[in-house]
PDB file of all heavy atoms in Angstrom:
ATOM      1  N   ASP S 120      -1.288  23.460  10.092  1.00 98.00           N
ATOM      2  CA  ASP S 120      -1.144  23.001   8.755  1.00 98.00           C
ATOM      3  C   ASP S 120       0.053  22.038   8.703  1.00 98.00           C
ATOM      4  O   ASP S 120       1.149  22.421   9.145  1.00 98.00           O
ATOM      5  CB  ASP S 120      -0.884  24.143   7.806  1.00 98.00           C
ATOM      6  CG  ASP S 120      -2.141  24.868   7.375  1.00 98.00           C
ATOM      7  OD1 ASP S 120      -3.143  24.686   8.060  1.00 98.00           O
ATOM      8  OD2 ASP S 120      -2.081  25.562   6.350  1.00 98.00           O
ATOM      9  N   VAL S 121      -0.127  20.863   8.081  1.00 98.00           N
ATOM     10  CA  VAL S 121       0.979  19.908   7.956  1.00 98.00           C
ATOM     11  C   VAL S 121       2.170  20.541   7.238  1.00 98.00           C
ATOM     12  O   VAL S 121       3.311  20.264   7.615  1.00 98.00           O
ATOM     13  CB  VAL S 121       0.458  18.614   7.336  1.00 98.00           C
ATOM     14  CG1 VAL S 121       1.593  17.789   6.797  1.00 98.00           C
ATOM     15  CG2 VAL S 121      -0.391  17.849   8.211  1.00 98.00           C
ATOM     16  N   GLN S 122       1.903  21.340   6.266  1.00 97.00           N
ATOM     17  CA  GLN S 122       2.983  21.933   5.471  1.00 97.00           C
ATOM     18  C   GLN S 122       3.906  22.799   6.323  1.00 97.00           C
ATOM     19  O   GLN S 122       5.014  22.991   5.991  1.00 97.00           O
ATOM     20  CB  GLN S 122       2.362  22.770   4.314  1.00 97.00           C
ATOM     21  CG  GLN S 122       1.818  21.948   3.177  1.00 97.00           C
ATOM     22  CD  GLN S 122       1.606  22.856   1.981  1.00 97.00           C
ATOM     23  OE1 GLN S 122       1.559  24.097   2.112  1.00 97.00           O
ATOM     24  NE2 GLN S 122       1.460  22.245   0.798  1.00 97.00           N
ATOM     25  N   LYS S 123       3.323  23.407   7.368  1.00 98.00           N
ATOM     26  CA  LYS S 123       4.073  24.404   8.126  1.00 98.00           C
ATOM     27  C   LYS S 123       4.814  23.823   9.340  1.00 98.00           C
ATOM     28  O   LYS S 123       5.535  24.493  10.021  1.00 98.00           O
ATOM     29  CB  LYS S 123       3.117  25.475   8.647  1.00 98.00           C
ATOM     30  CG  LYS S 123       2.515  26.287   7.509  1.00 98.00           C
ATOM     31  CD  LYS S 123       1.501  27.338   8.127  1.00 98.00           C
ATOM     32  CE  LYS S 123       0.863  28.101   6.994  1.00 98.00           C
ATOM     33  NZ  LYS S 123      -0.341  28.862   7.447  1.00 98.00           N
ATOM     34  N   VAL S 124       4.611  22.511   9.577  1.00 98.00           N
ATOM     35  CA  VAL S 124       5.155  21.896  10.784  1.00 98.00           C
ATOM     36  C   VAL S 124       6.655  21.571  10.615  1.00 98.00           C
ATOM     37  O   VAL S 124       7.037  20.972   9.618  1.00 98.00           O
ATOM     38  CB  VAL S 124       4.443  20.636  11.171  1.00 98.00           C
ATOM     39  CG1 VAL S 124       5.123  19.944  12.290  1.00 98.00           C
ATOM     40  CG2 VAL S 124       2.976  20.893  11.471  1.00 98.00           C
ATOM     41  N   ARG S 125       7.406  22.033  11.536  1.00 96.00           N
ATOM     42  CA  ARG S 125       8.821  21.749  11.563  1.00 96.00           C
ATOM     43  C   ARG S 125       9.308  21.800  13.006  1.00 96.00           C
ATOM     44  O   ARG S 125       8.786  22.566  13.791  1.00 96.00           O
ATOM     45  CB  ARG S 125       9.655  22.733  10.756  1.00 96.00           C
ATOM     46  CG  ARG S 125       9.903  22.328   9.254  1.00 96.00           C
ATOM     47  CD  ARG S 125      10.830  23.250   8.562  1.00 96.00           C
ATOM     48  NE  ARG S 125      10.392  24.683   8.687  1.00 96.00           N
ATOM     49  CZ  ARG S 125       9.397  25.222   8.011  1.00 96.00           C
ATOM     50  NH1 ARG S 125       8.689  24.525   7.160  1.00 96.00           N
ATOM     51  NH2 ARG S 125       9.048  26.456   8.215  1.00 96.00           N
ATOM     52  N   GLY S 126      10.326  21.075  13.376  1.00 97.00           N
ATOM     53  CA  GLY S 126      10.952  21.148  14.671  1.00 97.00           C
ATOM     54  C   GLY S 126      10.124  20.597  15.805  1.00 97.00           C
ATOM     55  O   GLY S 126      10.119  21.132  16.889  1.00 97.00           O
ATOM     56  N   LEU S 127       9.412  19.523  15.589  1.00 98.00           N
ATOM     57  CA  LEU S 127       8.713  18.884  16.644  1.00 98.00           C
ATOM     58  C   LEU S 127       9.667  18.262  17.579  1.00 98.00           C
ATOM     59  O   LEU S 127      10.787  17.936  17.347  1.00 98.00           O
ATOM     60  CB  LEU S 127       7.720  17.836  16.153  1.00 98.00           C
ATOM     61  CG  LEU S 127       6.625  18.319  15.220  1.00 98.00           C
ATOM     62  CD1 LEU S 127       5.716  17.163  14.815  1.00 98.00           C
ATOM     63  CD2 LEU S 127       5.803  19.437  15.851  1.00 98.00           C
ATOM     64  N   ALA S 128       9.135  17.973  18.859  1.00 98.00           N
ATOM     65  CA  ALA S 128       9.927  17.281  19.906  1.00 98.00           C
ATOM     66  C   ALA S 128      10.255  15.857  19.462  1.00 98.00           C
ATOM     67  O   ALA S 128       9.605  15.319  18.619  1.00 98.00           O
ATOM     68  CB  ALA S 128       9.148  17.317  21.196  1.00 98.00           C
ATOM     69  N   PHE S 129      11.280  15.296  20.115  1.00 98.00           N
ATOM     70  CA  PHE S 129      11.637  13.889  19.902  1.00 98.00           C
ATOM     71  C   PHE S 129      11.823  13.661  18.424  1.00 98.00           C
ATOM     72  O   PHE S 129      12.393  14.535  17.675  1.00 98.00           O
ATOM     73  CB  PHE S 129      10.574  12.970  20.503  1.00 98.00           C
ATOM     74  CG  PHE S 129      10.264  13.204  21.927  1.00 98.00           C
ATOM     75  CD1 PHE S 129       9.083  13.866  22.297  1.00 98.00           C
ATOM     76  CD2 PHE S 129      11.149  12.867  22.918  1.00 98.00           C
ATOM     77  CE1 PHE S 129       8.792  14.137  23.601  1.00 98.00           C
ATOM     78  CE2 PHE S 129      10.837  13.098  24.241  1.00 98.00           C
ATOM     79  CZ  PHE S 129       9.709  13.731  24.616  1.00 98.00           C
ATOM     80  N   ASP S 130      11.423  12.507  17.959  1.00 98.00           N
ATOM     81  CA  ASP S 130      11.470  12.131  16.501  1.00 98.00           C
ATOM     82  C   ASP S 130      10.118  12.334  15.876  1.00 98.00           C
ATOM     83  O   ASP S 130       9.776  11.608  14.892  1.00 98.00           O
ATOM     84  CB  ASP S 130      11.996  10.737  16.285  1.00 98.00           C
ATOM     85  CG  ASP S 130      11.201   9.716  17.133  1.00 98.00           C
ATOM     86  OD1 ASP S 130      10.270  10.119  17.823  1.00 98.00           O
ATOM     87  OD2 ASP S 130      11.531   8.508  17.033  1.00 98.00           O
ATOM     88  N   HIS S 131       9.332  13.252  16.374  1.00 98.00           N
ATOM     89  CA  HIS S 131       7.947  13.359  15.918  1.00 98.00           C
ATOM     90  C   HIS S 131       7.842  13.947  14.519  1.00 98.00           C
ATOM     91  O   HIS S 131       6.866  13.690  13.838  1.00 98.00           O
ATOM     92  CB  HIS S 131       7.148  14.174  16.899  1.00 98.00           C
ATOM     93  CG  HIS S 131       6.888  13.492  18.168  1.00 98.00           C
ATOM     94  ND1 HIS S 131       6.061  13.947  19.202  1.00 98.00           N
ATOM     95  CD2 HIS S 131       7.289  12.243  18.662  1.00 98.00           C
ATOM     96  CE1 HIS S 131       5.999  13.072  20.212  1.00 98.00           C
ATOM     97  NE2 HIS S 131       6.813  12.060  19.910  1.00 98.00           N
ATOM     98  N   ASP S 132       8.849  14.697  14.073  1.00 98.00           N
ATOM     99  CA  ASP S 132       8.847  15.142  12.624  1.00 98.00           C
ATOM    100  C   ASP S 132       8.792  13.828  11.716  1.00 98.00           C
ATOM    101  O   ASP S 132       8.060  13.856  10.786  1.00 98.00           O
ATOM    102  CB  ASP S 132      10.107  15.896  12.313  1.00 98.00           C
ATOM    103  CG  ASP S 132       9.959  17.375  12.663  1.00 98.00           C
ATOM    104  OD1 ASP S 132       8.869  17.911  12.589  1.00 98.00           O
ATOM    105  OD2 ASP S 132      10.958  17.975  13.187  1.00 98.00           O
ATOM    106  N   ARG S 133       9.593  12.918  12.007  1.00 98.00           N
ATOM    107  CA  ARG S 133       9.624  11.719  11.242  1.00 98.00           C
ATOM    108  C   ARG S 133       8.339  10.925  11.358  1.00 98.00           C
ATOM    109  O   ARG S 133       7.856  10.442  10.308  1.00 98.00           O
ATOM    110  CB  ARG S 133      10.793  10.802  11.742  1.00 98.00           C
ATOM    111  CG  ARG S 133      10.898   9.470  11.090  1.00 98.00           C
ATOM    112  CD  ARG S 133      11.254   9.713   9.561  1.00 98.00           C
ATOM    113  NE  ARG S 133      11.041   8.478   8.834  1.00 98.00           N
ATOM    114  CZ  ARG S 133      11.832   7.443   8.867  1.00 98.00           C
ATOM    115  NH1 ARG S 133      12.980   7.447   9.640  1.00 98.00           N
ATOM    116  NH2 ARG S 133      11.574   6.370   8.108  1.00 98.00           N
ATOM    117  N   ILE S 134       7.757  10.801  12.507  1.00 99.00           N
ATOM    118  CA  ILE S 134       6.540  10.087  12.675  1.00 99.00           C
ATOM    119  C   ILE S 134       5.395  10.755  11.901  1.00 99.00           C
ATOM    120  O   ILE S 134       4.644  10.138  11.180  1.00 99.00           O
ATOM    121  CB  ILE S 134       6.151   9.954  14.154  1.00 99.00           C
ATOM    122  CG1 ILE S 134       7.232   9.214  14.921  1.00 99.00           C
ATOM    123  CG2 ILE S 134       4.820   9.318  14.323  1.00 99.00           C
ATOM    124  CD1 ILE S 134       7.020   9.116  16.426  1.00 99.00           C
ATOM    125  N   LEU S 135       5.352  12.099  11.921  1.00 99.00           N
ATOM    126  CA  LEU S 135       4.368  12.856  11.215  1.00 99.00           C
ATOM    127  C   LEU S 135       4.537  12.602   9.693  1.00 99.00           C
ATOM    128  O   LEU S 135       3.551  12.386   8.982  1.00 99.00           O
ATOM    129  CB  LEU S 135       4.432  14.344  11.523  1.00 99.00           C
ATOM    130  CG  LEU S 135       3.528  15.240  10.717  1.00 99.00           C
ATOM    131  CD1 LEU S 135       2.080  14.836  10.893  1.00 99.00           C
ATOM    132  CD2 LEU S 135       3.760  16.695  11.140  1.00 99.00           C
ATOM    133  N   THR S 136       5.730  12.645   9.260  1.00 98.00           N
ATOM    134  CA  THR S 136       5.969  12.464   7.767  1.00 98.00           C
ATOM    135  C   THR S 136       5.536  11.092   7.396  1.00 98.00           C
ATOM    136  O   THR S 136       4.874  10.932   6.350  1.00 98.00           O
ATOM    137  CB  THR S 136       7.524  12.539   7.553  1.00 98.00           C
ATOM    138  OG1 THR S 136       7.925  13.894   7.862  1.00 98.00           O
ATOM    139  CG2 THR S 136       7.814  12.317   6.022  1.00 98.00           C
ATOM    140  N   ASP S 137       5.801  10.088   8.215  1.00 98.00           N
ATOM    141  CA  ASP S 137       5.364   8.686   7.894  1.00 98.00           C
ATOM    142  C   ASP S 137       3.850   8.653   7.846  1.00 98.00           C
ATOM    143  O   ASP S 137       3.255   7.969   7.055  1.00 98.00           O
ATOM    144  CB  ASP S 137       5.938   7.753   8.910  1.00 98.00           C
ATOM    145  CG  ASP S 137       7.468   7.521   8.780  1.00 98.00           C
ATOM    146  OD1 ASP S 137       7.996   8.015   7.736  1.00 98.00           O
ATOM    147  OD2 ASP S 137       8.058   6.909   9.682  1.00 98.00           O
ATOM    148  N   GLY S 138       3.180   9.343   8.774  1.00 98.00           N
ATOM    149  CA  GLY S 138       1.714   9.267   8.901  1.00 98.00           C
ATOM    150  C   GLY S 138       1.101   9.936   7.689  1.00 98.00           C
ATOM    151  O   GLY S 138       0.122   9.423   7.090  1.00 98.00           O
ATOM    152  N   VAL S 139       1.644  11.065   7.254  1.00 98.00           N
ATOM    153  CA  VAL S 139       1.116  11.769   6.129  1.00 98.00           C
ATOM    154  C   VAL S 139       1.315  10.941   4.876  1.00 98.00           C
ATOM    155  O   VAL S 139       0.400  10.827   4.024  1.00 98.00           O
ATOM    156  CB  VAL S 139       1.750  13.171   5.982  1.00 98.00           C
ATOM    157  CG1 VAL S 139       1.395  13.798   4.626  1.00 98.00           C
ATOM    158  CG2 VAL S 139       1.340  14.053   7.149  1.00 98.00           C
ATOM    159  N   GLU S 140       2.471  10.338   4.734  1.00 98.00           N
ATOM    160  CA  GLU S 140       2.718   9.518   3.618  1.00 98.00           C
ATOM    161  C   GLU S 140       1.744   8.316   3.517  1.00 98.00           C
ATOM    162  O   GLU S 140       1.240   7.965   2.475  1.00 98.00           O
ATOM    163  CB  GLU S 140       4.184   9.009   3.635  1.00 98.00           C
ATOM    164  CG  GLU S 140       4.598   8.275   2.358  1.00 98.00           C
ATOM    165  CD  GLU S 140       4.092   8.984   1.118  1.00 98.00           C
ATOM    166  OE1 GLU S 140       4.321  10.202   0.911  1.00 98.00           O
ATOM    167  OE2 GLU S 140       3.426   8.295   0.287  1.00 98.00           O
ATOM    168  N   ARG S 141       1.542   7.720   4.698  1.00 98.00           N
ATOM    169  CA  ARG S 141       0.532   6.639   4.775  1.00 98.00           C
ATOM    170  C   ARG S 141      -0.875   7.060   4.291  1.00 98.00           C
ATOM    171  O   ARG S 141      -1.510   6.362   3.519  1.00 98.00           O
ATOM    172  CB  ARG S 141       0.485   6.031   6.219  1.00 98.00           C
ATOM    173  CG  ARG S 141      -0.631   5.056   6.456  1.00 98.00           C
ATOM    174  CD  ARG S 141      -0.345   3.641   6.021  1.00 98.00           C
ATOM    175  NE  ARG S 141       0.759   3.070   6.760  1.00 98.00           N
ATOM    176  CZ  ARG S 141       0.676   2.374   7.847  1.00 98.00           C
ATOM    177  NH1 ARG S 141      -0.552   2.087   8.330  1.00 98.00           N
ATOM    178  NH2 ARG S 141       1.713   1.873   8.413  1.00 98.00           N
ATOM    179  N   ALA S 142      -1.239   8.235   4.815  1.00 98.00           N
ATOM    180  CA  ALA S 142      -2.587   8.727   4.440  1.00 98.00           C
ATOM    181  C   ALA S 142      -2.661   8.961   2.957  1.00 98.00           C
ATOM    182  O   ALA S 142      -3.610   8.592   2.274  1.00 98.00           O
ATOM    183  CB  ALA S 142      -2.877   9.936   5.222  1.00 98.00           C
ATOM    184  N   ARG S 143      -1.615   9.559   2.414  1.00 97.00           N
ATOM    185  CA  ARG S 143      -1.637   9.850   0.905  1.00 97.00           C
ATOM    186  C   ARG S 143      -1.723   8.591   0.113  1.00 97.00           C
ATOM    187  O   ARG S 143      -2.462   8.511  -0.865  1.00 97.00           O
ATOM    188  CB  ARG S 143      -0.345  10.610   0.588  1.00 97.00           C
ATOM    189  CG  ARG S 143      -0.400  12.089   1.040  1.00 97.00           C
ATOM    190  CD  ARG S 143       0.831  12.887   0.540  1.00 97.00           C
ATOM    191  NE  ARG S 143       0.603  14.245   0.928  1.00 97.00           N
ATOM    192  CZ  ARG S 143       1.578  15.076   1.340  1.00 97.00           C
ATOM    193  NH1 ARG S 143       2.790  14.675   1.414  1.00 97.00           N
ATOM    194  NH2 ARG S 143       1.242  16.329   1.668  1.00 97.00           N
ATOM    195  N   ALA S 144      -0.953   7.657   0.533  1.00 96.00           N
ATOM    196  CA  ALA S 144      -0.994   6.336  -0.156  1.00 96.00           C
ATOM    197  C   ALA S 144      -2.325   5.622  -0.102  1.00 96.00           C
ATOM    198  O   ALA S 144      -2.824   5.099  -1.063  1.00 96.00           O
ATOM    199  CB  ALA S 144       0.122   5.391   0.316  1.00 96.00           C
ATOM    200  N   LYS S 145      -2.885   5.649   1.144  1.00 97.00           N
ATOM    201  CA  LYS S 145      -4.151   4.942   1.311  1.00 97.00           C
ATOM    202  C   LYS S 145      -5.314   5.541   0.552  1.00 97.00           C
ATOM    203  O   LYS S 145      -6.253   4.827   0.229  1.00 97.00           O
ATOM    204  CB  LYS S 145      -4.458   4.836   2.780  1.00 97.00           C
ATOM    205  CG  LYS S 145      -3.727   3.677   3.467  1.00 97.00           C
ATOM    206  CD  LYS S 145      -4.509   3.133   4.603  1.00 97.00           C
ATOM    207  CE  LYS S 145      -4.251   1.678   4.817  1.00 97.00           C
ATOM    208  NZ  LYS S 145      -5.144   1.051   5.824  1.00 97.00           N
ATOM    209  N   LEU S 146      -5.287   6.851   0.340  1.00 98.00           N
ATOM    210  CA  LEU S 146      -6.380   7.448  -0.437  1.00 98.00           C
ATOM    211  C   LEU S 146      -6.478   6.827  -1.844  1.00 98.00           C
ATOM    212  O   LEU S 146      -7.523   6.831  -2.456  1.00 98.00           O
ATOM    213  CB  LEU S 146      -6.216   8.937  -0.542  1.00 98.00           C
ATOM    214  CG  LEU S 146      -6.442   9.775   0.689  1.00 98.00           C
ATOM    215  CD1 LEU S 146      -6.923  11.163   0.282  1.00 98.00           C
ATOM    216  CD2 LEU S 146      -7.394   9.176   1.666  1.00 98.00           C
ATOM    217  N   GLU S 147      -5.375   6.362  -2.310  1.00 96.00           N
ATOM    218  CA  GLU S 147      -5.366   5.786  -3.663  1.00 96.00           C
ATOM    219  C   GLU S 147      -6.168   4.517  -3.751  1.00 96.00           C
ATOM    220  O   GLU S 147      -6.981   4.381  -4.722  1.00 96.00           O
ATOM    221  CB  GLU S 147      -3.904   5.551  -4.143  1.00 96.00           C
ATOM    222  CG  GLU S 147      -3.110   6.794  -4.348  1.00 96.00           C
ATOM    223  CD  GLU S 147      -1.772   6.491  -5.005  1.00 96.00           C
ATOM    224  OE1 GLU S 147      -1.527   5.395  -5.512  1.00 96.00           O
ATOM    225  OE2 GLU S 147      -0.957   7.467  -5.092  1.00 96.00           O
ATOM    226  N   TYR S 148      -5.994   3.646  -2.911  1.00 94.00           N
ATOM    227  CA  TYR S 148      -6.486   2.315  -3.044  1.00 94.00           C
ATOM    228  C   TYR S 148      -7.512   1.927  -2.008  1.00 94.00           C
ATOM    229  O   TYR S 148      -7.932   0.736  -1.912  1.00 94.00           O
ATOM    230  CB  TYR S 148      -5.424   1.277  -3.231  1.00 94.00           C
ATOM    231  CG  TYR S 148      -4.513   1.190  -2.014  1.00 94.00           C
ATOM    232  CD1 TYR S 148      -4.862   0.392  -0.915  1.00 94.00           C
ATOM    233  CD2 TYR S 148      -3.361   1.918  -1.999  1.00 94.00           C
ATOM    234  CE1 TYR S 148      -4.005   0.343   0.149  1.00 94.00           C
ATOM    235  CE2 TYR S 148      -2.507   1.865  -0.897  1.00 94.00           C
ATOM    236  CZ  TYR S 148      -2.841   1.045   0.172  1.00 94.00           C
ATOM    237  OH  TYR S 148      -2.014   1.042   1.295  1.00 94.00           O
ATOM    238  N   SER S 149      -7.932   2.812  -1.162  1.00 97.00           N
ATOM    239  CA  SER S 149      -8.957   2.553  -0.154  1.00 97.00           C
ATOM    240  C   SER S 149      -9.946   3.698  -0.126  1.00 97.00           C
ATOM    241  O   SER S 149      -9.629   4.792  -0.575  1.00 97.00           O
ATOM    242  CB  SER S 149      -8.330   2.287   1.183  1.00 97.00           C
ATOM    243  OG  SER S 149      -8.098   3.591   1.775  1.00 97.00           O
ATOM    244  N   PRO S 150     -11.139   3.458   0.389  1.00 98.00           N
ATOM    245  CA  PRO S 150     -12.156   4.504   0.520  1.00 98.00           C
ATOM    246  C   PRO S 150     -11.930   5.369   1.740  1.00 98.00           C
ATOM    247  O   PRO S 150     -12.918   5.980   2.210  1.00 98.00           O
ATOM    248  CB  PRO S 150     -13.462   3.717   0.522  1.00 98.00           C
ATOM    249  CG  PRO S 150     -13.073   2.421   1.170  1.00 98.00           C
ATOM    250  CD  PRO S 150     -11.656   2.125   0.855  1.00 98.00           C
ATOM    251  N   LEU S 151     -10.741   5.424   2.240  1.00 98.00           N
ATOM    252  CA  LEU S 151     -10.474   6.105   3.480  1.00 98.00           C
ATOM    253  C   LEU S 151     -10.684   7.611   3.487  1.00 98.00           C
ATOM    254  O   LEU S 151     -10.846   8.207   4.554  1.00 98.00           O
ATOM    255  CB  LEU S 151      -9.012   5.818   3.900  1.00 98.00           C
ATOM    256  CG  LEU S 151      -8.812   5.505   5.301  1.00 98.00           C
ATOM    257  CD1 LEU S 151      -9.540   4.212   5.672  1.00 98.00           C
ATOM    258  CD2 LEU S 151      -7.374   5.436   5.652  1.00 98.00           C
ATOM    259  N   ALA S 152     -10.774   8.212   2.315  1.00 98.00           N
ATOM    260  CA  ALA S 152     -11.014   9.679   2.308  1.00 98.00           C
ATOM    261  C   ALA S 152     -12.322   9.973   3.001  1.00 98.00           C
ATOM    262  O   ALA S 152     -12.458  11.062   3.588  1.00 98.00           O
ATOM    263  CB  ALA S 152     -11.050  10.104   0.850  1.00 98.00           C
ATOM    264  N   THR S 153     -13.228   9.055   3.003  1.00 98.00           N
ATOM    265  CA  THR S 153     -14.543   9.323   3.669  1.00 98.00           C
ATOM    266  C   THR S 153     -14.365   9.465   5.175  1.00 98.00           C
ATOM    267  O   THR S 153     -15.194  10.015   5.815  1.00 98.00           O
ATOM    268  CB  THR S 153     -15.526   8.135   3.408  1.00 98.00           C
ATOM    269  OG1 THR S 153     -14.957   6.922   3.837  1.00 98.00           O
ATOM    270  CG2 THR S 153     -15.851   8.038   1.934  1.00 98.00           C
ATOM    271  N   ALA S 154     -13.280   8.913   5.704  1.00 98.00           N
ATOM    272  CA  ALA S 154     -13.010   9.106   7.169  1.00 98.00           C
ATOM    273  C   ALA S 154     -12.860  10.578   7.530  1.00 98.00           C
ATOM    274  O   ALA S 154     -12.999  10.918   8.699  1.00 98.00           O
ATOM    275  CB  ALA S 154     -11.808   8.261   7.596  1.00 98.00           C
ATOM    276  N   PHE S 155     -12.443  11.422   6.588  1.00 98.00           N
ATOM    277  CA  PHE S 155     -12.275  12.833   6.799  1.00 98.00           C
ATOM    278  C   PHE S 155     -13.553  13.589   6.742  1.00 98.00           C
ATOM    279  O   PHE S 155     -13.634  14.835   6.969  1.00 98.00           O
ATOM    280  CB  PHE S 155     -11.301  13.424   5.837  1.00 98.00           C
ATOM    281  CG  PHE S 155      -9.884  13.061   6.033  1.00 98.00           C
ATOM    282  CD1 PHE S 155      -9.194  12.244   5.171  1.00 98.00           C
ATOM    283  CD2 PHE S 155      -9.130  13.583   7.149  1.00 98.00           C
ATOM    284  CE1 PHE S 155      -7.856  11.956   5.354  1.00 98.00           C
ATOM    285  CE2 PHE S 155      -7.839  13.297   7.281  1.00 98.00           C
ATOM    286  CZ  PHE S 155      -7.141  12.478   6.417  1.00 98.00           C
ATOM    287  N   CYS S 156     -14.619  12.896   6.264  1.00 97.00           N
ATOM    288  CA  CYS S 156     -15.895  13.593   5.967  1.00 97.00           C
ATOM    289  C   CYS S 156     -16.935  13.347   7.091  1.00 97.00           C
ATOM    290  O   CYS S 156     -16.856  12.364   7.769  1.00 97.00           O
ATOM    291  CB  CYS S 156     -16.428  13.062   4.620  1.00 97.00           C
ATOM    292  SG  CYS S 156     -15.469  13.482   3.211  1.00 97.00           S
ATOM    293  N   PRO S 157     -17.891  14.199   7.188  1.00 96.00           N
ATOM    294  CA  PRO S 157     -19.007  13.956   8.107  1.00 96.00           C
ATOM    295  C   PRO S 157     -19.837  12.828   7.604  1.00 96.00           C
ATOM    296  O   PRO S 157     -19.578  12.386   6.439  1.00 96.00           O
ATOM    297  CB  PRO S 157     -19.777  15.276   8.082  1.00 96.00           C
ATOM    298  CG  PRO S 157     -19.432  15.991   6.831  1.00 96.00           C
ATOM    299  CD  PRO S 157     -17.963  15.570   6.574  1.00 96.00           C
ATOM    300  N   PRO S 158     -20.786  12.306   8.356  1.00 96.00           N
ATOM    301  CA  PRO S 158     -21.565  11.097   7.864  1.00 96.00           C
ATOM    302  C   PRO S 158     -22.205  11.306   6.523  1.00 96.00           C
ATOM    303  O   PRO S 158     -22.287  10.330   5.737  1.00 96.00           O
ATOM    304  CB  PRO S 158     -22.669  10.954   9.011  1.00 96.00           C
ATOM    305  CG  PRO S 158     -22.033  11.599  10.189  1.00 96.00           C
ATOM    306  CD  PRO S 158     -21.163  12.692   9.725  1.00 96.00           C
ATOM    307  N   GLU S 159     -22.656  12.547   6.254  1.00 97.00           N
ATOM    308  CA  GLU S 159     -23.224  12.773   4.923  1.00 97.00           C
ATOM    309  C   GLU S 159     -22.381  13.844   4.265  1.00 97.00           C
ATOM    310  O   GLU S 159     -22.065  14.922   4.882  1.00 97.00           O
ATOM    311  CB  GLU S 159     -24.716  13.226   4.990  1.00 97.00           C
ATOM    312  CG  GLU S 159     -25.574  12.159   5.632  1.00 97.00           C
ATOM    313  CD  GLU S 159     -27.044  12.419   5.553  1.00 97.00           C
ATOM    314  OE1 GLU S 159     -27.424  13.574   5.170  1.00 97.00           O
ATOM    315  OE2 GLU S 159     -27.853  11.522   5.807  1.00 97.00           O
TER     316      GLU S 159
END
Side-chain angles (χ1 to χ4, degrees):
Chain S
D120 278 19
V121 162
Q122 286 194 343
K123 294 177 183 165
V124 174
R125 269 186 306 284
L127 296 183
F129 307 103
D130 52 0
H131 289 187
D132 277 324
R133 176 65 194 285
I134 299 176
L135 174 59
T136 299
D137 291 348
V139 170
E140 187 43 52
R141 170 82 64 92
R143 286 186 174 142
K145 277 212 149 187
L146 289 209
E147 292 189 8
Y148 57 88
S149 83
L151 222 66
T153 58
F155 286 110
C156 295
E159 300 190 347

